[in-house]
Amino acid sequence: MGQVENYKIENEYYRQLVSDRVRSDEALWQAIGACGLSFVYADGLPQSNVIMIGEAPGKDEVKFGRPFAGKAGAILDEILAKTGIRREDIYITNTVKYRLATSGSRPGTFKNRPVKPVEITYSLDWLRHEIEIIKPKIILTLGNVPLKAMSIMQNCDIMSVSACHGKAIGIQVGDMRTTLVPLYHPASQIYNHDLKPVFEEDFHNVERMYAEI
Ligand code: URA
């Protein structure tokens, strides 16, 4: 197998697997209703040392077909521009790869909704596959959803972003040792302005780690 082959993410296989799991869960499939499943795959550099994991795509991400293409993405781009980390040099994915939506107030419209725990479980194999292919030296989680996914993957108590943001945590994924750095979700500062300096300081820590790898 050539080197390029090592970077092949089996998106179509996992899309089918997740679709099958979701559709065969009657309660979940009913809750999803008319919104259906709109998938958005990862973006960025599969050869990167850094993988960044968000929650799930929203309306803008579905429209543009890449993670963090909307408001949260603009905040992310702003902080990346202040660091030595270029977006195109990292691999950016989401815990759940389809939009978490429910029916909006007007017919035919949809709005975002919180993830259901079972959706994290159904999506875990895809995320683990990505991590094993990318072999990142640093895993950055944005918000509580990907941190929960990583906690489940580690078989450890669910970590909370407020308790461990900005810390470097040694973890094992498959046969690989790597470092997890939990970060707040960029959108959290839209609702809580106090988180902006915390987010920026954590990112400067990441910048230092990034410079060392
Ligand atoms: N929020 C996320 O967590 N992921 C996206 O792709 C966009 C917004």
Side-chain angles (χ1 to χ4, degrees):
M1 199 181 344
Q3 218 186 355
V4 171
E5 213 47 31
N6 294 335
Y7 296 117
K8 187 161 167 36
I9 308 286
E10 301 287 348
N11 281 326
E12 293 315 320
Y13 169 80
Y14 285 100
R15 178 192 182 116
Q16 193 60 54
L17 188 72
V18 170
S19 300
D20 290 349
R21 283 175 177 164
V22 171
R23 283 165 200 272
S24 57
D25 182 326
E26 253 175 61
L28 176 59
W29 189 232
Q30 248 183 29
I32 289 173
C35 314
L37 297 174
S38 301
F39 283 89
V40 175
Y41 297 157
D43 183 40
L45 189 70
Q47 297 88 339
S48 182
N49 284 322
V50 180
I51 182 167
M52 185 179 270
I53 312 170
E55 175 181 321
K59 189 178 174 189
D60 290 327
E61 285 71 31
V62 171
K63 180 171 169 196
F64 294 107
R66 65 186 190 114
F68 289 99
K71 243 190 208 165
I75 297 170
L76 185 62
D77 288 347
E78 193 186 313
I79 184 73
L80 285 174
K82 290 184 188 166
T83 69
I85 309 170
R86 297 186 326 152
R87 182 174 169 134
E88 56 272 33
D89 289 340
I90 58 182
Y91 181 88
I92 307 184
T93 192
N94 277 304
T95 311
V96 174
K97 310 270 192 301
Y98 56 86
R99 184 179 174 201
L100 299 171
T102 187
S103 296
S105 47
R106 278 176 294 117
T109 61
F110 304 117
K111 59 181 184 198
N112 292 348
R113 62 166 170 86
V115 67
K116 295 178 190 296
V118 76
E119 294 179 287
I120 299 181
T121 313
Y122 293 159
S123 300
L124 217 55
D125 289 340
W126 195 343
L127 184 61
R128 189 186 291 106
H129 170 75
E130 287 177 293
I131 296 172
E132 287 180 352
I133 294 288
I134 306 296
K135 301 193 187 347
K137 297 213 166 94
I138 302 176
I139 298 178
L140 304 173
T141 51
L142 300 177
N144 274 314
V145 171
L147 191 51
K148 186 168 180 183
M150 294 311 298
S151 306
I152 300 170
M153 227 183 262
Q154 294 303 294
N155 246 329
C156 70
D157 290 343
I158 305 293
M159 295 178 265
S160 127
V161 71
S162 56
C164 58
H165 65 91
K167 295 194 178 126
I169 304 168
I171 61 164
Q172 183 90 22
V173 180
D175 56 7
M176 176 187 57
R177 290 291 300 166
T178 183
T179 301
L180 167 68
V181 186
L183 298 168
Y184 278 102
H185 194 281
S188 59
Q189 54 189 269
I190 299 173
Y191 312 104
N192 181 352
H193 295 284
D194 294 346
L195 289 179
K196 189 172 163 58
V198 180
F199 186 69
E200 292 197 355
E201 195 187 322
D202 287 348
F203 245 95
H204 284 299
N205 284 341
V206 171
E207 189 184 3
R208 279 190 284 278
M209 286 181 224
Y210 183 72
E212 283 167 17
I213 55 174

